[in-house]
């Protein structure tokens, strides 16, 4: 089969997507099935690996497939009954539930559902294709095209001492890809990494799969990070790396005060620790964000990672890394993985930065997210009063709810699945059993539902799952 007859750019990935849907629908009705690798599909369908990556990214967002580190992608059959998965891994059960037809998926944190720049990207691509014919494009740019690396370096530069150069920026297929590279490049296997908790389950699973010793630094009930625990760890344990958010920690929605940020910087400087900064949601604060943590710590012991997808949408799944050091090892790791990313799409993203369209879109998206969060807060207060407590989010697209009464949150999850609604139990955001009384609930979501009825169902599920 070949997809070269399809229209270019906005087209090939959609054909791949349809092909994969048909392939998934043909699999066994009782077991998960391993899907072809990116390279296999690229050869089979005669399209680029980046096109395959776009399609898989969409399928993963829809819960039709899930990925396992170093193993590839797997499909859950539509006919699988989540009740049959009661003993399975909770994250797998979430993917199964999200895969089923007619499910409303309220488990994610996808700001771009309120508005993406997919159309603008594709328009720019058409213009760029005419100016940069395929046969004139460099065949291999393992760390990303120079235009995009330059745009990111400029955006992250804040002063003469905190500046970035294009050759210190590395573009990968997605956040998973760049995190896997960082784990290898930093030699983290067997070492200790301190992460804030709750922490995104993708990050936790990747660290766990790589044999990293993960120590969770909890956000406390008052919204403060346990900095006394951080100092104890840095003083008494060999901690090469601390992973913290740049501005707002999600899903908790907490942010460090200026004094706390300065204290973190002092601790890392005193004990010689490196900061791995998660900037995935760094630009999605509803109001003007505080100074990011990276502008306070020693830039010589700083690595930043992020992606475009949360702001731009699924057409921009690329992840990226900024690092002043490890250049030789990072280049080697990117070469080994041989990311074949669309140079045209990268140039289109760079133009969005350069012509101001990115900032315009970002401002509009922030306003919509804030409005949506306020509306969701009113509904939560009306339907879940006395059942949950929460802090009003200041960024992102979700709420971090805590049950007032002790409940079996897995039972709540299962009861909501029976109502065709998927939530994310809090235990997914920890490797050590924390957050069992929490759940993440999106205020931007996919699927059709009556939100008032859904929240009434959630209140009932919380009541029925109470632990005596």
């Amino acid at each position: 089969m070949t997809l070269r007859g399809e229209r270019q750019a906005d087209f090939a990935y959609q054909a791949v997507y349809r092909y994969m849907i048909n392939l998934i629908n043909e699999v066994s009705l009782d077991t998960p099935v391993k899907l072809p690798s990116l390279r296999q599909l690229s050869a089979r369908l005669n399209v680029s690996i980046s096109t395959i990556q776009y399609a898989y990214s969409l399928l993963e967002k829809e819960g039709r497939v899930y990925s396992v580190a170093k193993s590839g992608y797997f499909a859950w059959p539509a006919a699988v009954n989540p009740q049959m998965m009661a003993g399975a891994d909770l994250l797998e059960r979430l993917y199964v539930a999200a895969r089923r037809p007619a499910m409303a998926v309220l488990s994610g944190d996808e700001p771009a559902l309120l508005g993406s720049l997919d159309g603008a990207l594709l328009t720019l691509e058409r213009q760029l294709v005419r100016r940069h014919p395929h046969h004139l494009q460099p065949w291999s740019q393992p760390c990303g095209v120079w235009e995009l690396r330059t745009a990111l370096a400029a955006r992250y530069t804040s002063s003469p001492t905190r500046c970035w150069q294009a050759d210190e920026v590395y573009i990968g297929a997605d956040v998973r890809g760049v995190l896997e590279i960082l784990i290898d490049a930093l030699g983290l296997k067997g070492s200790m990494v301190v992460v804030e908790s709750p922490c995104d389950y993708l990050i936790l699973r990747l660290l766990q799969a790589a044999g990293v010793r993960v120590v969770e630094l909890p956000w406390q009930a008052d919204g403060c990070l346990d900095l006394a625990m951080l100092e104890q760890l840095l003083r008494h344990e060999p901690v090469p790396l601390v992973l913290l958010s740049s501005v707002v920690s999600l899903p908790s929605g907490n942010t460090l005060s200026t004094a706390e940020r300065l204290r973190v910087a002092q601790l890392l400087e005193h004990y010689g620790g490196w900061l791995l900064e998660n900037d995935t949601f760094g630009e999605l604060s509803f109001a003007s964000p505080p100074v990011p943590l990276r502008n306070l710590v020693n830039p010589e012991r700083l690595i930043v990672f992020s992606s475009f997808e949360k702001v731009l949408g699924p057409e921009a799944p690329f992840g990226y890394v900024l690092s002043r050091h490890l250049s030789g090892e990072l280049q080697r790791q990117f070469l080994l993985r041989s990311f074949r990313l669309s140079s045209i799409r990268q140039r289109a993203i760079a133009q969005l930065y350069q012509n101001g369209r990115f900032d315009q879109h970002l401002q509009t998206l922030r306003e919509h997210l804030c409005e949506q969060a306020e509306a969701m807060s009113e509904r939560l207060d009306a339907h879940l009063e006395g059942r949950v407590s929460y802090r009003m989010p200041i960024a992102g697209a979700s709420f971090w709810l805590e049950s007032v009464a002790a409940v079996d949150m897995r039972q709540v999850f299962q009861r909501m699945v029976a109502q065709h609604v998927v939530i994310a139990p809090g235990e997914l955001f920890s490797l050590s059993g924390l957050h069992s009384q929490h759940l993440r609930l999106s205020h931007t979501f996919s699927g059709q539902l009556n939100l008032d009825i859904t929240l009434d169902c959630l209140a009932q599920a919380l009541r029925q799952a109470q632990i005596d």
Side-chain angles (χ1 to χ4, degrees):
M1 178 181 178
T2 178
L3 298 182
R4 294 301 186 191
E6 298 286 338
R7 295 183 301 156
Q8 298 292 327
D10 51 352
F11 353 120
Y13 87 91
Q14 294 174 345
V16 173
Y17 174 87
R18 291 192 296 271
Y19 173 83
M20 292 305 300
I21 289 293
N22 291 332
L23 188 64
I24 291 168
N25 290 339
E26 292 171 357
V27 302
S28 165
L29 294 180
D30 55 6
T31 58
V33 173
K34 190 175 188 306
L35 295 170
S37 69
L38 300 180
R39 292 186 183 278
Q40 288 171 333
L41 279 175
S42 175
R44 180 185 306 177
L45 302 177
N46 192 27
V47 295
S48 70
I49 287 178
S50 61
T51 296
I52 305 296
Q53 183 71 50
Y54 298 153
Y56 264 136
S57 176
L58 288 175
L59 291 165
E60 190 166 15
K61 293 298 180 189
E62 294 174 357
R64 296 176 182 272
V65 305
Y66 67 97
S67 52
V68 177
K70 299 183 179 180
S71 296
Y73 287 91
F74 294 79
W76 286 108
V80 172
N81 185 340
Q83 296 289 347
M84 298 168 60
M85 295 295 296
D89 177 89
L90 181 59
L91 185 55
E92 293 177 353
R93 291 168 61 192
L94 185 148
Y95 281 133
V96 170
R99 165 67 180 88
R100 293 173 62 199
M103 298 297 286
V105 181
L106 276 76
S107 54
D109 196 336
E110 301 300 329
L113 286 174
L114 286 184
S116 72
L117 280 178
D118 288 353
L121 270 177
L122 298 173
T123 298
L124 284 172
E125 280 191 350
R126 294 187 189 97
Q127 297 170 0
L128 289 167
V129 164
R130 291 193 290 270
R131 286 157 44 190
H132 303 277
H134 181 74
H135 68 279
L136 295 180
Q137 296 173 32
W139 72 272
S140 177
Q141 293 176 308
C143 298
V145 301
W146 198 253
E147 293 94 328
L148 184 54
R149 297 170 75 186
T150 299
L152 286 172
R155 192 167 187 85
Y156 276 83
T157 293
S158 59
S159 74
T161 58
R162 297 185 180 276
C163 57
W164 297 92
Q165 305 299 324
D167 59 4
E168 296 168 338
V169 180
Y170 306 84
I171 312 294
D174 52 20
V175 169
R176 172 186 291 275
V178 298
L179 283 174
E180 288 175 341
I181 284 176
L182 283 175
I183 290 169
D184 287 343
L186 292 166
L188 294 181
K189 184 176 181 180
S191 64
M192 176 190 291
V193 172
V194 175
V195 305
E196 60 192 341
S197 186
C199 180
D200 184 87
Y201 47 72
L202 170 64
I203 296 172
L204 292 176
R205 294 299 179 102
L206 286 175
L207 292 172
Q208 184 183 50
V212 177
R213 181 186 169 198
V214 178
V215 176
E216 298 178 49
L217 186 67
W219 284 93
Q220 300 169 315
D222 60 0
C224 297
L225 199 60
D226 193 342
L227 297 184
M229 177 181 174
L230 176 60
E231 183 172 10
Q232 286 292 105
L233 288 168
L234 291 171
R235 176 181 295 172
H236 299 293
E237 300 281 356
V239 181
L241 192 71
V242 177
L243 197 163
L244 297 172
S245 298
S246 59
V247 175
V248 181
S249 177
L250 295 175
S252 68
N254 294 320
T255 187
L256 293 169
S257 67
T258 300
E260 288 171 321
R261 290 166 185 277
L262 290 171
R263 181 58 179 158
V264 168
Q266 292 168 356
L267 290 173
L268 291 173
E269 181 68 14
H270 180 74
Y271 294 104
W274 280 65
L275 173 67
L276 178 58
E277 185 189 73
N278 180 358
D279 197 39
T280 308
F281 287 91
E283 297 198 277
L284 283 168
S285 297
F286 303 156
S288 298
V291 175
L293 191 55
R294 62 179 173 271
N295 285 358
L296 301 174
V297 303
N298 186 343
E300 300 303 317
R301 290 197 291 270
L302 168 69
I303 299 174
V304 182
F305 74 91
S306 188
S307 74
F308 308 101
E309 187 174 8
K310 296 297 182 184
V311 175
L312 297 182
E315 291 293 343
F318 308 127
Y320 58 87
V321 174
L322 293 90
S323 175
R324 286 187 174 183
H325 301 285
L326 303 171
S327 59
E329 183 59 20
L330 285 171
Q331 289 174 14
R332 188 180 77 86
Q333 292 288 345
F334 274 81
L335 281 167
L336 284 173
R337 282 162 176 79
S338 298
F339 292 132
R340 293 174 57 193
L341 309 180
S342 167
S343 60
I344 290 295
R345 183 149 300 183
Q346 290 180 74
R347 288 191 176 101
I349 295 172
Q351 284 206 8
L352 291 176
Y353 281 99
Q354 293 161 0
N355 64 20
R357 183 69 183 274
F358 180 93
D359 287 315
Q360 293 173 6
H361 169 73
L362 180 61
Q363 181 59 37
T364 301
L365 182 59
R366 285 171 172 168
E367 292 171 359
H368 288 167
L369 287 169
C370 183
E371 293 168 0
Q372 193 87 352
E374 290 172 353
M376 184 64 153
S377 176
E378 292 178 1
R379 282 191 161 98
L380 291 174
D381 292 344
H383 297 277
L384 294 175
E385 185 178 8
R387 295 288 176 192
V388 300
S389 61
Y390 65 91
R391 297 170 63 86
M392 185 67 186
I394 60 173
S398 66
F399 280 73
W400 184 240
L401 307 178
E402 181 177 11
S403 175
V404 172
V407 299
D408 181 343
M409 197 60 73
R410 288 194 173 209
Q411 187 181 129
V412 174
F413 166 79
Q414 204 62 53
R415 289 181 182 277
M416 293 307 294
V417 167
Q419 299 293 326
H420 301 282
V421 178
V422 184
I423 62 170
E427 68 176 273
L428 289 173
F429 303 87
S430 169
L431 295 177
S432 59
L434 302 176
H435 318 307
S436 63
Q437 297 303 298
H438 290 79
L439 65 101
R440 182 174 74 180
L441 196 69
S442 305
H443 61 79
T444 64
F445 49 85
S446 59
Q448 299 296 319
L449 83 167
N450 183 310
L451 193 53
D452 293 316
I453 293 176
T454 298
L455 293 178
D456 285 339
C457 290
L458 179 57
Q460 183 178 14
L462 288 167
R463 179 181 59 80
Q464 292 173 334
Q466 280 185 273
I467 300 172
D468 296 330

